[in-house]
Amino acid sequence: MFLRFEQVSLHFSGVAALSAVDLEIPQGGIFAIIGPNGAGKTTLLNCVSRFYTPQEGRITFLGRDLLAARPYDLASLGIARSFQNVAPFGRMTVEENMLVGLHHTIHSSALSQVLRLPGARAAERQARAQARDVMEQLGILEHSQRYADELPYGVQKRLDVGRALVSRPKLLLLDEPAAGMNEQETAELGEWILGLPAITGVTIVMVEHDMSLVMGISQRVAVLDFGRLIAVGAPQEVASDPAVVEAYLGKED
Amino acid sequence: MFWQTLVDGLAVGSLYAVTAIGLVLIYKTSNVVNFAQGEMAMFSTFIAYQAFTHWAWPYWAAVLAASAFALVLGWAVYWLFLSRLSRAPLLSQIIATLALFLLFRGVAGAIWGNQPFSFPTAVQPTVVRFGPTLILSTQIITFAACLLLMALAYALFRYTRVGLAMQAISQNMFAARLMGVSVGRVYGFSWALSTLLGAVAGMLIAPTLFLSPTFMEGVAIRAFAAAVVGGFASLPGAAVGGLLFGVLESLFGFYISPAFKTTFVSLVIIAVLYVRPGGLFGPRTVKKV
Amino acid sequence: MTNAARPRALAATVALAALVLPWVVARLGPAASYMLNLSVIFAIVAIALNLLTGFSGQISLGHAGFLMLGEYASALLTLKAGFPFWAALPASALLVGAIGFLVGLPAVRLSGNFLAVATMGFGLAVPEVMLNWAGLTHGSAGLMPKSPTIGGFSFGSDVAYYYLALFCLALVWYICATLLRSRTGRALQAVRDSEPAALASGINAAYHKALAFAISAAFAGVAGALYAHYVNFVSPNDFSIQDSFLFLAMIVVGGLGSLPGSLLGAVLLTVVSQLSTSLGQFSIILTGSVMLLAVLFFPGGLISLARRRRPTPRVPAPLAQRSAAGGS
């Protein structure tokens, strides 16, 4: 199995954030995790990213125990992620943001970089060429020397996903990619995300609020409510699941 | 000698505790660590000195005047400077309080000069004996005054309207604002109160340390240490931290080396922060993303 | 002139001016020459601190401590271990860098305010240790390191020492500039902007934070060694916590995250504080006022006036912290 959660439980000072979550995510396509506010969606993502360690259970990626890995090991295992707050490296240029995404693929020591040894320079040149290619594909090459903070919102969003994608990860975690976007921007973003697995071969696991985006582009959907997994299946199946309907309606006043 | 050291440590530790509580009050509400706390206390103490020595006011009148001055000073510092930086990056806020540190030290030096002055005590120092242990009446006054101030600060924070507003802000600024709490006023109040606590500590310790523009530097770093031990967000934690530090430092000074006290304090700060980044009594926070 | 050529021409002009400067300043008398050399030495500290604070996002209120350690390391190595200055200088850098790494270790786990408190404690402890470890340091009597010599030539004159200090400044600048454009430098800045995102990009945040401390401390150590062999006297009173604040003021006034800004701030504040020492307390009053004015009115520093707008964070910092602490 590609990504598997087995009986994953996590509680913060007694309050259960995740309760015995069992979930298998196959390789390929787009998998969405939805649920009402505070259902534990981002928490689940943060367990994969290793910002949180569940008190019980196992998480494996391609058979490998993720809980034994440190947060900064994940990039080289092929797991990348975007964040809810856009363009996290705001005071760096677009090109530098992309190069940060390639950090784990550049193998040179700090000393060899300062001395500008041939090996370090070659690695740097190669990374810059690769970053340039991806910036061109994303249509942000013209901004390459601008600070990320100066860019319009939509471009920042694309930059952040681009930074996560530049090292060609196997698994891409997207945390609410449509947050703060209007309907039209969300539709454009959805179309773009939908195309990614086919072009890059990446598997996307997405946490999202916006139901139209989720229903439109994901192959499978898992629903969390109060830290429990209440449904998994194709978007249409899940949408008509009584437990899901109740979870969502119960939230509305 | 152990008991003697303990008594001396508790007396001075209660001063660290009061100063630390001042730091925590500001941090809890506005998330700012006031690095100028000690210097503002120093300045207020000089006001009392000025009234007592140069204007020949009675001791208690001078102390009251300096306390009133401290309240206004804290309030003014907040409104003039920190309120403008409430949305600025953390670094700007830290630097603003460092700048205030330099300003108060500089202005005090310019007005009163840099030589140490003696400062009066509240009562005539007399000695109370408990077997081989000597307790000074001034130590008792200091300890009692500090306990009283701590209890007052705690009661105020816990039970009064403004205290509840402070709590509300420290938990959720936006909700507090929505509920009609005037955030600026509460911040101004906590700055005023915090400066008052520092000033009282300054006036109580000035007879021992002698008054000079740098005399609160050592007290301030120990107050930071006490606040760190308490997790910087807990009033009782800061109180316990202050007393603990007073005693530990006193024991260290007596049994190991009086010359390396500040080094000892710094090492304890660094060690505590390394083992428990949230402080010994601080909340075990889970890093959230 | 093209856009790319303009900064290069400016840099060349500044470099040329820097080479001619001591001869012009010497005409103003020895006090001016001293101020010039001190500016160069403090510019090294400012760059070191900016690497840590401006580029890596970690505050230090204890850089005067690293400076003092550099002074003592070099003085002791030359006087007691018989090192020539030319070996003592890099050795001091390594030694202070190693201490910086140790001080930086807790930094790995500390956020801004707590780190400030911890480094402030370090800054207060160093002079105390130097004063009281009299067997090694001669306490308040101090040490008297000699001016460096090469062959028969002594760097005892202000002008000669200026070129030595300038060479070190240029080297430190070059190393920082190169580092910041490299993988390691990007990692430092990424950790500054967002630690979680940096971790997710495969950056070992803890290692890079400690590394930033080590490099910054090493450069401050170089400045300390240069200072010691310039004034030929080292004592526990040379630098205090106020000087740590002065160095912070330099980078804030000049511009956080800017190498030219560090230089600008260092020269400006060294001149201000030296000119006003004759006015007693007004030196720190002036420094404090300049710091306060800078954070209130020029948060980007003087350098931001000279170049395109440096972006400020979109989300106000306290707000970001609150929501980060309260999110799900």
Side-chain angles (χ1 to χ4, degrees), chain C residues 37-72:
Chain C
N37 288 3
L38 205 60
S39 301
V40 175
I41 293 170
F42 282 176
I44 297 176
V45 187
I47 288 177
L49 187 59
N50 220 336
L51 184 73
L52 184 71
T53 304
F55 290 102
S56 311
Q58 302 181 84
I59 195 163
S60 164
L61 304 188
H63 257 53
F66 292 123
L67 193 69
M68 183 173 279
L69 287 176
E71 282 188 281
Y72 274 95

Side-chain angles (χ1 to χ4, degrees), chain C residues 156-177:
Chain C
S157 77
D158 280 327
V159 172
Y161 211 88
Y162 171 83
Y163 287 112
L164 171 63
L166 188 69
F167 173 78
C168 292
L169 172 63
L171 194 66
V172 165
W173 182 304
Y174 173 81
I175 293 173
C176 283

Side-chain angles (χ1 to χ4, degrees), chain B residues 240-288:
Chain B
V240 174
L243 294 172
L244 198 69
F245 246 99
V247 171
L248 275 181
E249 180 198 33
S250 188
L251 291 174
F252 177 86
F254 183 75
Y255 289 105
I256 302 173
S257 158
F260 289 97
K261 272 187 180 179
T262 303
T263 310
F264 167 73
V265 171
S266 314
L267 283 178
V268 172
I269 294 180
I270 292 177
V272 166
L273 287 176
Y274 187 62
V275 180
R276 289 289 303 269
L280 280 188
F281 302 114
R284 269 183 184 277
T285 46
V286 182
K287 187 171 66 182
K288 299 231 172 176

Side-chain angles (χ1 to χ4, degrees), chain C residues 81-138:
Chain C
F83 276 46
F85 171 79
W86 311 105
L89 183 72
S92 309
L94 285 178
L95 201 69
V96 180
I99 295 170
F101 188 83
L102 290 180
V103 174
L105 277 183
V108 166
R109 309 180 57 178
L110 297 187
S111 65
N113 279 317
F114 287 166
L115 182 60
V117 173
T119 50
M120 186 176 177
F122 168 78
L124 287 171
V126 171
E128 190 185 78
V129 172
M130 294 308 152
L131 177 65
N132 292 305
W133 194 352
L136 184 71
T137 64
H138 296 190

Side-chain angles (χ1 to χ4, degrees), chain B residues 4-50:
Chain B
Q4 183 69 55
T5 318
L6 194 70
V7 164
D8 294 344
L10 280 176
V12 72
S14 61
L15 292 167
Y16 302 159
V18 166
T19 315
I21 283 175
L23 288 170
V24 169
L25 274 179
I26 291 180
Y27 181 76
K28 247 178 121 75
T29 46
S30 54
N31 232 345
V32 172
V33 172
N34 180 16
F35 285 95
Q37 167 92 346
E39 307 310 288
M40 288 162 75
M42 172 274 294
F43 203 88
S44 307
T45 308
F46 260 115
I47 296 292
Y49 166 82
Q50 178 75 20

Side-chain angles (χ1 to χ4, degrees), chain B residues 27-33 35 80-81 84-96 98-103 105-110 114 169-171 173-174 187 214 217 221-222 224-225 228 231-232 258-264 266 269-270 273-279 287-289, chain C residues 53-54 59 61 102-103 105-107 109-122 124-126 128-130 132-133 195-196 199 240-242 245-246 248-249 252 256 281-282 284-289 291-292 295-297 299 313 315-319 321-328:
Chain B
Y27 181 76
K28 247 178 121 75
T29 46
S30 54
N31 232 345
V32 172
V33 172
F35 285 95
L80 285 177
F81 307 114
R84 293 162 197 269
L85 293 170
S86 61
R87 281 158 173 268
L90 180 67
L91 188 62
S92 300
Q93 298 176 343
I94 292 179
I95 286 164
L98 298 178
L100 291 166
F101 176 109
L102 293 177
L103 278 175
R105 183 174 278 191
V107 171
N114 285 318
I169 286 174
S170 76
Q171 269 154 28
M173 179 162 51
F174 298 108
Y187 282 10
T214 54
E217 188 175 279
I221 189 68
R222 284 155 179 82
F224 284 123
V228 161
F232 241 107
F260 289 97
K261 272 187 180 179
T262 303
T263 310
F264 167 73
S266 314
I269 294 180
I270 292 177
L273 287 176
Y274 187 62
V275 180
R276 289 289 303 269
K287 187 171 66 182
K288 299 231 172 176
V289 184
Chain C
T53 304
I59 195 163
L61 304 188
L102 290 180
V103 174
L105 277 183
R109 309 180 57 178
L110 297 187
S111 65
N113 279 317
F114 287 166
L115 182 60
V117 173
T119 50
M120 186 176 177
F122 168 78
L124 287 171
V126 171
E128 190 185 78
V129 172
M130 294 308 152
N132 292 305
W133 194 352
E195 189 169 337
L199 286 168
S240 73
I241 189 85
Q242 289 175 25
F245 297 179
L246 180 71
L248 262 177
V252 171
L256 283 167
Q281 297 301 320
F282 290 100
I284 57 173
I285 296 177
L286 216 53
T287 310
S289 311
M291 267 167 103
L292 208 49
V295 284
L296 287 174
F297 301 112
V315 183
L319 206 133
Q321 285 165 8
R322 297 276 186 204
S323 62
S328 67

Side-chain angles (χ1 to χ4, degrees), chain A residues 51 71-72 75 83 88-92 99 103 106 108 110 113-114 116 124 128 145 147 149-150 156 163, chain C residues 174 178-179 181-184 186-187 190 192-194 196-199 201-204 308-311 314:
Chain A
F51 296 137
Y72 56 86
F83 287 84
F89 310 122
R91 283 177 288 168
M92 301 175 76
L99 290 169
H103 181 86
I106 308 171
S108 60
Q113 291 152 31
V114 168
R116 306 191 61 178
E124 182 76 13
R128 280 180 195 265
Q145 296 310 313
Y147 288 111
D149 263 354
E150 296 174 333
Q156 290 193 24
R163 174 197 50 79
Chain C
Y174 173 81
T178 314
L179 189 75
R181 277 196 306 269
S182 76
R183 171 182 185 262
T184 305
R186 286 189 299 265
R192 169 196 67 191
D193 284 358
S194 167
L199 286 168
S201 305
I203 292 168
N204 182 344
R308 72 202 170 106
R309 195 183 65 86
R310 184 99 193 172
R314 235 179 0 270

